[in-house]
Coordinates of all heavy atoms in Angstrom, one line a residue:
P146 N 12.5 21.1 10.8 CA 11.8 22.1 11.6 C 12.7 23.3 12.0 O 12.2 24.4 12.1 CB 11.2 21.4 12.8 CG 11.0 20.0 12.3 CD 12.2 19.7 11.4
E147 N 13.9 23.0 12.3 CA 14.9 24.1 12.6 C 15.7 24.5 11.5 O 16.7 25.2 11.6 CB 15.7 23.7 13.8 CG 14.8 23.4 15.0 CD 15.6 23.0 16.3 OE1 16.3 23.9 16.8 OE2 15.5 21.8 16.7
G148 N 15.4 24.1 10.2 CA 16.1 24.4 9.1 C 17.3 23.4 8.8 O 17.9 23.0 9.8
H149 N 17.5 23.1 7.6 CA 18.6 22.2 7.2 C 19.9 23.0 7.6 O 20.0 24.2 7.5 CB 18.6 21.9 5.7 CG 19.6 20.9 5.3 ND1 20.9 21.1 5.2 CD2 19.4 19.5 5.0 CE1 21.5 19.9 4.8 NE2 20.6 19.0 4.7
V150 N 20.9 22.2 8.1 CA 22.1 22.8 8.6 C 22.9 23.6 7.5 O 23.7 24.5 7.9 CB 23.0 21.7 9.3 CG1 22.4 21.2 10.5 CG2 23.3 20.6 8.3
E151 N 22.6 23.2 6.3 CA 23.3 23.9 5.2 C 22.5 25.1 4.6 O 23.0 25.8 3.7 CB 23.7 22.9 4.1 CG 24.7 21.8 4.6 CD 25.0 20.8 3.5 OE1 24.8 21.1 2.3 OE2 25.4 19.7 3.9
A152 N 21.3 25.2 5.0 CA 20.4 26.3 4.4 C 20.9 27.7 4.9 O 21.3 27.9 6.0 CB 19.0 26.0 4.9
E153 N 20.7 28.6 4.0 CA 21.1 30.0 4.2 C 20.3 30.6 5.4 O 20.8 31.3 6.3 CB 21.0 30.8 3.0 CG 21.4 32.3 3.1 CD 21.3 33.1 1.8 OE1 21.1 32.4 0.8 OE2 21.4 34.3 1.9
D154 N 19.0 30.3 5.3 CA 18.1 30.8 6.4 C 16.8 30.0 6.3 O 16.6 29.2 5.4 CB 17.8 32.3 6.3 CG 17.4 32.8 4.9 OD1 16.6 32.0 4.2 OD2 17.8 33.9 4.4
E155 N 15.8 30.4 7.1 CA 14.5 29.7 7.1 C 13.8 29.8 5.8 O 13.1 28.9 5.4 CB 13.7 30.1 8.3 CG 14.2 29.7 9.7 CD 13.3 30.2 10.8 OE1 12.5 31.1 10.6 OE2 13.5 29.7 11.9
V156 N 13.8 31.0 5.2 CA 13.1 31.2 4.0 C 13.7 30.3 2.9 O 12.9 29.7 2.1 CB 13.2 32.7 3.6 CG1 12.6 32.9 2.2 CG2 12.5 33.6 4.6
A157 N 15.0 30.3 2.7 CA 15.6 29.5 1.7 C 15.3 28.0 2.0 O 15.1 27.3 1.0 CB 17.1 29.7 1.7
D158 N 15.3 27.6 3.2 CA 15.0 26.2 3.6 C 13.6 25.8 3.1 O 13.4 24.8 2.5 CB 15.2 26.0 5.1 CG 14.9 24.6 5.5 OD1 15.8 23.7 5.2 OD2 13.9 24.3 6.1
V159 N 12.6 26.6 3.4 CA 11.2 26.3 3.1 C 11.0 26.4 1.6 O 10.2 25.6 1.1 CB 10.2 27.1 3.9 CG1 10.1 28.5 3.3 CG2 8.9 26.4 4.0
L160 N 11.7 27.2 0.9 CA 11.6 27.3 -0.6 C 12.2 26.0 -1.2 O 11.6 25.5 -2.2 CB 12.2 28.5 -1.1 CG 11.5 29.9 -0.8 CD1 12.3 31.0 -1.3 CD2 10.1 29.9 -1.3
N161 N 13.3 25.5 -0.6 CA 13.8 24.3 -1.1 C 12.9 23.1 -0.9 O 12.7 22.2 -1.7 CB 15.2 24.0 -0.4 CG 16.3 24.9 -0.9 OD1 16.2 25.4 -2.0 ND2 17.3 25.1 -0.1
L162 N 12.2 23.2 0.3 CA 11.2 22.2 0.6 C 10.0 22.2 -0.4 O 9.5 21.2 -0.9 CB 10.6 22.4 2.0 CG 9.6 21.3 2.5 CD1 10.3 19.9 2.6 CD2 9.1 21.7 3.9
R163 N 9.6 23.4 -0.8 CA 8.5 23.5 -1.8 C 9.0 22.9 -3.1 O 8.2 22.3 -3.8 CB 8.2 25.0 -2.0 CG 7.3 25.3 -3.1 CD 5.9 24.7 -2.9 NE 5.1 24.9 -4.1 CZ 4.3 26.0 -4.3 NH1 4.2 26.9 -3.4 NH2 3.5 26.1 -5.4
R164 N 10.3 23.1 -3.5 CA 10.8 22.5 -4.7 C 10.7 21.0 -4.7 O 10.4 20.3 -5.6 CB 12.2 22.9 -5.0 CG 12.4 24.4 -5.3 CD 13.8 24.7 -5.7 NE 14.0 26.2 -5.8 CZ 14.5 26.9 -4.8 NH1 14.9 26.3 -3.7 NH2 14.6 28.2 -4.9
K165 N 11.0 20.4 -3.5 CA 10.9 19.0 -3.3 C 9.5 18.4 -3.5 O 9.2 17.4 -4.1 CB 11.4 18.6 -1.9 CG 11.8 17.1 -1.7 CD 12.3 16.9 -0.3 CE 13.5 17.7 0.1 NZ 14.0 17.3 1.4
V166 N 8.5 19.2 -3.0 CA 7.1 18.8 -3.1 C 6.7 19.0 -4.5 O 6.0 18.1 -5.1 CB 6.2 19.6 -2.1 CG1 4.8 19.4 -2.4 CG2 6.6 19.2 -0.7
D167 N 7.0 20.1 -5.1 CA 6.7 20.3 -6.5 C 7.3 19.2 -7.4 O 6.7 18.8 -8.5 CB 7.1 21.6 -7.0 CG 6.3 22.8 -6.4 OD1 5.3 22.5 -5.8 OD2 6.8 23.9 -6.5
A168 N 8.4 18.6 -7.0 CA 9.0 17.6 -7.8 C 8.3 16.3 -7.7 O 8.5 15.4 -8.6 CB 10.5 17.4 -7.4
G169 N 7.5 16.1 -6.6 CA 6.7 14.9 -6.5 C 6.6 14.2 -5.2 O 6.1 13.1 -5.0
A170 N 7.2 14.8 -4.2 CA 7.1 14.3 -2.8 C 5.6 14.4 -2.3 O 5.1 15.6 -2.3 CB 8.0 15.0 -1.8
T171 N 5.0 13.3 -1.9 CA 3.6 13.4 -1.6 C 3.4 13.5 -0.1 O 2.2 13.8 0.3 CB 2.9 12.1 -2.1 OG1 3.5 11.0 -1.4 CG2 3.0 11.9 -3.6
H172 N 4.4 13.4 0.7 CA 4.3 13.6 2.2 C 5.7 13.8 2.7 O 6.7 13.5 2.0 CB 3.6 12.4 2.9 CG 4.2 11.1 2.6 ND1 4.0 10.4 1.5 CD2 5.0 10.3 3.4 CE1 4.6 9.3 1.5 NE2 5.2 9.2 2.7
L173 N 5.8 14.3 3.9 CA 7.1 14.7 4.5 C 7.3 14.1 5.9 O 6.3 14.0 6.6 CB 7.2 16.2 4.5 CG 7.1 17.0 3.2 CD1 6.9 18.5 3.5 CD2 8.3 16.7 2.3
I174 N 8.5 13.8 6.2 CA 8.8 13.3 7.5 C 9.9 14.2 8.1 O 10.9 14.5 7.5 CB 9.4 11.9 7.5 CG1 8.3 10.9 6.9 CG2 9.9 11.4 8.9 CD1 8.8 9.5 6.7
S175 N 9.7 14.7 9.3 CA 10.5 15.8 9.8 C 11.7 15.2 10.6 O 11.7 14.1 11.1 CB 9.8 16.7 10.8 OG 9.9 16.2 12.1
Q176 N 12.8 15.9 10.6 CA 14.0 15.6 11.4 C 13.5 15.7 12.9 O 12.5 16.4 13.2 CB 15.1 16.7 11.2 CG 16.3 16.5 12.0 CD 17.0 15.2 11.8 OE1 16.7 14.2 12.5 NE2 17.9 15.1 10.8
L177 N 14.2 15.1 13.8 CA 13.8 15.1 15.2 C 13.9 16.5 15.8 O 14.6 17.4 15.3 CB 14.7 14.2 16.0 CG 16.2 14.5 16.0 CD1 16.6 15.4 17.2 CD2 17.1 13.3 16.1
F178 N 13.1 16.8 16.8 CA 13.1 18.1 17.5 C 12.6 17.8 18.9 O 11.9 16.8 19.1 CB 12.2 19.1 16.8 CG 10.7 18.6 16.6 CD1 9.8 18.9 17.6 CD2 10.3 17.9 15.5 CE1 8.5 18.5 17.5 CE2 9.0 17.5 15.4 CZ 8.1 17.8 16.3
F179 N 12.9 18.7 19.8 CA 12.5 18.5 21.2 C 11.6 19.6 21.8 O 11.3 19.6 22.9 CB 13.8 18.3 22.1 CG 14.7 17.2 21.7 CD1 15.8 17.4 20.9 CD2 14.3 15.9 22.0 CE1 16.6 16.3 20.5 CE2 15.1 14.8 21.6 CZ 16.2 15.0 20.8
D180 N 11.3 20.6 20.9 CA 10.5 21.7 21.3 C 9.3 21.8 20.3 O 9.6 22.1 19.1 CB 11.3 23.0 21.3 CG 10.5 24.2 21.8 OD1 9.2 24.1 21.8 OD2 11.1 25.2 22.1
N181 N 8.1 21.4 20.7 CA 7.0 21.4 19.7 C 6.7 22.7 19.1 O 6.2 22.8 18.0 CB 5.8 20.8 20.4 CG 5.8 19.3 20.7 OD1 6.8 18.7 20.4 ND2 4.7 18.8 21.2
S182 N 7.0 23.8 19.8 CA 6.7 25.1 19.3 C 7.6 25.4 18.0 O 7.2 26.1 17.1 CB 7.0 26.2 20.3 OG 8.4 26.3 20.6
V183 N 8.8 24.7 18.0 CA 9.6 24.8 16.8 C 8.9 24.2 15.6 O 8.9 24.7 14.5 CB 11.0 24.1 17.0 CG1 11.7 23.9 15.7 CG2 11.8 24.9 18.0
F184 N 8.3 23.0 15.8 CA 7.6 22.3 14.8 C 6.4 23.1 14.3 O 6.1 23.2 13.1 CB 7.1 20.9 15.3 CG 6.3 20.2 14.2 CD1 7.0 19.5 13.2 CD2 4.9 20.1 14.3 CE1 6.3 18.8 12.2 CE2 4.2 19.4 13.3 CZ 4.9 18.7 12.3
Y185 N 5.6 23.7 15.2 CA 4.4 24.4 14.8 C 4.8 25.7 14.0 O 4.1 26.0 13.0 CB 3.6 24.9 16.1 CG 3.1 23.7 16.9 CD1 3.2 23.7 18.3 CD2 2.7 22.5 16.3 CE1 2.7 22.7 19.1 CE2 2.2 21.5 17.0 CZ 2.3 21.5 18.4 OH 1.9 20.5 19.2
R186 N 5.9 26.4 14.3 CA 6.3 27.5 13.5 C 6.7 27.1 12.2 O 6.4 27.7 11.2 CB 7.4 28.3 14.3 CG 7.0 29.0 15.5 CD 8.1 30.0 16.0 NE 9.3 29.3 16.3 CZ 9.6 28.9 17.6 NH1 8.7 29.1 18.6 NH2 10.7 28.4 17.9
F187 N 7.5 26.0 12.1 CA 7.9 25.4 10.8 C 6.7 25.0 10.0 O 6.6 25.4 8.8 CB 8.8 24.2 11.0 CG 8.8 23.3 9.8 CD1 9.6 23.6 8.7 CD2 8.1 22.1 9.8 CE1 9.6 22.8 7.6 CE2 8.1 21.3 8.7 CZ 8.9 21.6 7.6
R188 N 5.7 24.4 10.6 CA 4.5 24.0 9.8 C 3.8 25.2 9.2 O 3.3 25.1 8.1 CB 3.6 23.2 10.7 CG 2.4 22.6 10.0 CD 1.6 21.7 11.0 NE 1.1 22.4 12.1 CZ 0.3 21.8 13.1 NH1 0.1 20.5 13.0 NH2 -0.1 22.5 14.1
E189 N 3.7 26.2 10.0 CA 3.1 27.5 9.5 C 3.8 28.0 8.3 O 3.3 28.5 7.3 CB 3.0 28.5 10.6 CG 2.3 29.8 10.2 CD 2.1 30.8 11.4 OE1 2.8 30.6 12.4 OE2 1.4 31.7 11.2
R190 N 5.2 28.1 8.4 CA 6.0 28.6 7.3 C 5.8 27.7 6.1 O 5.6 28.3 4.9 CB 7.5 28.5 7.7 CG 7.9 29.5 8.7 CD 9.5 29.7 8.7 NE 10.2 28.4 8.9 CZ 10.5 27.9 10.0 NH1 10.1 28.5 11.2 NH2 11.2 26.8 10.1
A191 N 5.7 26.4 6.3 CA 5.6 25.5 5.1 C 4.2 25.7 4.4 O 4.1 25.8 3.2 CB 5.7 24.1 5.6
R192 N 3.1 25.9 5.2 CA 1.8 26.1 4.7 C 1.8 27.4 3.9 O 1.2 27.5 2.8 CB 0.8 26.0 5.7 CG 0.6 24.7 6.5 CD 0.6 23.5 5.6 NE 0.3 22.3 6.3 CZ 0.7 21.1 5.9 NH1 1.4 20.9 4.8 NH2 0.4 20.0 6.6
I193 N 2.4 28.5 4.5 CA 2.4 29.8 3.8 C 3.1 29.7 2.5 O 2.7 30.3 1.5 CB 3.0 30.8 4.7 CG1 2.1 31.1 5.9 CG2 3.3 32.1 4.0 CD1 2.8 32.0 7.0
A194 N 4.1 28.8 2.4 CA 4.9 28.7 1.2 C 4.3 27.8 0.2 O 4.8 27.5 -0.9 CB 6.3 28.1 1.5
G195 N 3.1 27.2 0.5 CA 2.4 26.4 -0.4 C 2.7 24.9 -0.3 O 2.4 24.1 -1.2
V196 N 3.3 24.5 0.8 CA 3.6 23.1 1.1 C 2.4 22.5 1.8 O 2.2 22.6 3.0 CB 4.9 22.9 1.9 CG1 5.1 21.4 2.2 CG2 6.1 23.5 1.2
N197 N 1.5 21.9 1.0 CA 0.3 21.4 1.5 C 0.1 19.9 1.7 O -1.0 19.4 1.8 CB -0.9 22.0 0.7 CG -0.9 23.5 0.7 OD1 -0.9 24.1 1.8 ND2 -1.1 24.1 -0.4
V198 N 1.2 19.2 1.6 CA 1.2 17.7 1.8 C 1.3 17.4 3.2 O 1.7 18.3 4.1 CB 2.3 17.1 1.0 CG1 2.2 17.3 -0.5 CG2 3.7 17.5 1.5
P199 N 0.9 16.2 3.6 CA 1.0 15.8 5.1 C 2.4 15.9 5.6 O 3.4 15.5 4.8 CB 0.5 14.4 5.1 CG -0.4 14.3 3.9 CD 0.2 15.1 2.8
I200 N 2.6 16.3 6.8 CA 3.9 16.4 7.4 C 3.9 15.6 8.7 O 3.1 15.9 9.7 CB 4.3 17.9 7.8 CG1 4.2 18.7 6.5 CG2 5.6 17.9 8.4 CD1 4.5 20.2 6.8
E201 N 4.7 14.6 8.8 CA 4.8 13.8 10.0 C 5.9 14.4 10.9 O 7.0 14.8 10.4 CB 5.2 12.3 9.7 CG 4.1 11.4 9.3 CD 4.5 10.0 9.5 OE1 5.2 9.4 8.6 OE2 4.1 9.4 10.5
A202 N 5.6 14.4 12.2 CA 6.6 15.0 13.2 C 7.5 13.8 13.6 O 7.1 12.8 14.1 CB 5.8 15.5 14.3
G203 N 8.8 14.1 13.5 CA 9.8 13.1 13.9 C 10.2 13.2 15.4 O 10.6 14.2 15.8
I204 N 9.9 12.1 16.1 CA 10.2 12.2 17.6 C 11.2 11.1 17.9 O 11.0 9.9 17.6 CB 8.9 11.9 18.3 CG1 7.9 13.0 18.1 CG2 9.1 11.8 19.8 CD1 8.3 14.4 18.5
M205 N 12.2 11.5 18.6 CA 13.2 10.6 19.1 C 13.2 10.5 20.6 O 13.6 11.5 21.3 CB 14.6 10.9 18.6 CG 15.7 10.0 19.2 SD 17.4 10.3 18.5 CE 17.2 9.4 17.0
P206 N 12.9 9.4 21.2 CA 13.0 9.3 22.7 C 14.4 9.1 23.1 O 15.1 8.1 22.6 CB 12.2 8.0 23.0 CG 12.2 7.2 21.7 CD 12.3 8.2 20.6
V207 N 15.0 10.0 23.9 CA 16.4 9.9 24.2 C 16.5 9.0 25.4 O 15.9 9.1 26.4 CB 16.9 11.3 24.6 CG1 18.3 11.2 25.1 CG2 16.8 12.2 23.4
T208 N 17.4 8.0 25.2 CA 17.6 6.9 26.3 C 19.0 6.9 26.9 O 19.2 6.2 27.8 CB 17.2 5.5 25.7 OG1 18.1 5.3 24.6 CG2 15.8 5.5 25.3
N209 N 19.9 7.7 26.3 CA 21.2 7.8 26.9 C 21.9 9.1 26.5 O 21.5 9.7 25.4 CB 22.1 6.6 26.6 CG 22.5 6.5 25.1 OD1 23.2 7.3 24.6 ND2 21.9 5.5 24.5
K210 N 22.8 9.6 27.3 CA 23.4 10.9 27.1 C 24.2 10.9 25.8 O 24.2 11.9 25.0 CB 24.3 11.3 28.2 CG 24.9 12.7 28.2 CD 25.6 13.0 29.5 CE 26.1 14.4 29.6 NZ 27.3 14.6 28.7
N211 N 25.0 9.9 25.5 CA 25.8 9.8 24.3 C 24.9 9.9 23.0 O 25.3 10.6 22.0 CB 26.6 8.5 24.2 CG 27.7 8.5 25.2 OD1 28.2 9.6 25.7 ND2 28.1 7.3 25.6
Q212 N 23.7 9.3 23.1 CA 22.8 9.3 22.0 C 22.4 10.8 21.6 O 22.5 11.2 20.5 CB 21.6 8.5 22.3 CG 20.5 8.6 21.2 CD 19.2 8.0 21.7 OE1 18.9 7.9 22.9 NE2 18.3 7.6 20.8
I213 N 22.0 11.5 22.6 CA 21.5 12.9 22.4 C 22.7 13.8 21.9 O 22.5 14.6 21.0 CB 20.8 13.5 23.6 CG1 20.3 14.9 23.3 CG2 21.8 13.6 24.8 CD1 19.3 14.9 22.1
E214 N 23.9 13.6 22.5 CA 25.0 14.4 22.0 C 25.3 14.1 20.6 O 25.6 15.1 19.8 CB 26.2 14.1 22.9 CG 26.0 14.7 24.3 CD 27.2 14.3 25.3 OE1 28.0 13.4 24.9 OE2 27.3 14.9 26.3
R215 N 25.3 12.9 20.2 CA 25.6 12.5 18.8 C 24.5 13.1 17.8 O 24.9 13.6 16.8 CB 25.6 11.0 18.7 CG 26.0 10.5 17.3 CD 26.2 9.0 17.2 NE 25.0 8.2 17.6 CZ 24.8 7.6 18.7 NH1 25.7 7.6 19.7 NH2 23.6 7.0 18.9
M216 N 23.3 12.9 18.2 CA 22.2 13.4 17.3 C 22.2 14.9 17.2 O 22.0 15.4 16.1 CB 20.8 12.9 17.8 CG 20.7 11.4 17.7 SD 21.1 10.7 16.1 CE 19.9 11.5 15.1
V217 N 22.4 15.6 18.3 CA 22.4 17.1 18.2 C 23.6 17.6 17.3 O 23.5 18.5 16.6 CB 22.5 17.7 19.6 CG1 22.8 19.2 19.6 CG2 21.2 17.4 20.4
S218 N 24.7 16.9 17.5 CA 25.9 17.3 16.6 C 25.6 17.1 15.2 O 26.1 17.8 14.3 CB 27.1 16.5 17.1 OG 27.0 15.2 16.7
L219 N 24.8 16.1 14.8 CA 24.6 15.8 13.4 C 23.5 16.7 12.8 O 23.7 17.1 11.7 CB 24.1 14.3 13.3 CG 25.2 13.2 13.5 CD1 24.5 11.8 13.5 CD2 26.2 13.3 12.4
C220 N 22.4 16.9 13.6 CA 21.3 17.7 13.0 C 21.1 19.1 13.5 O 20.3 19.8 13.0 CB 20.0 16.8 13.1 SG 19.4 16.7 14.8
G221 N 21.8 19.4 14.6 CA 21.7 20.8 15.1 C 20.4 21.1 15.8 O 20.1 22.2 16.0

Side-chain angles (χ1 to χ4, degrees):
E147 297 181 70
H149 192 282
V150 292
E151 298 175 22
E153 181 179 349
D154 52 37
E155 290 181 344
V156 173
D158 182 71
V159 78
L160 290 177
N161 287 334
L162 183 62
R163 172 65 187 269
R164 293 187 189 98
K165 194 181 302 185
V166 171
D167 289 346
T171 62
H172 55 284
L173 303 168
I174 298 174
S175 91
Q176 180 60 273
L177 62 91
F178 58 91
F179 300 101
D180 182 347
N181 285 4
S182 65
V183 168
F184 178 79
Y185 299 141
R186 289 195 296 271
F187 159 75
R188 185 172 62 179
E189 182 178 12
R190 291 196 304 276
R192 298 311 187 207
I193 291 172
V196 176
N197 294 316
V198 298
I200 302 174
E201 276 201 281
I204 297 297
M205 174 173 282
V207 175
T208 57
N209 65 72
K210 187 171 182 290
N211 290 337
Q212 175 194 21
I213 184 57
E214 290 175 345
R215 181 172 65 254
M216 294 308 300
V217 169
S218 69
L219 288 173
C220 68

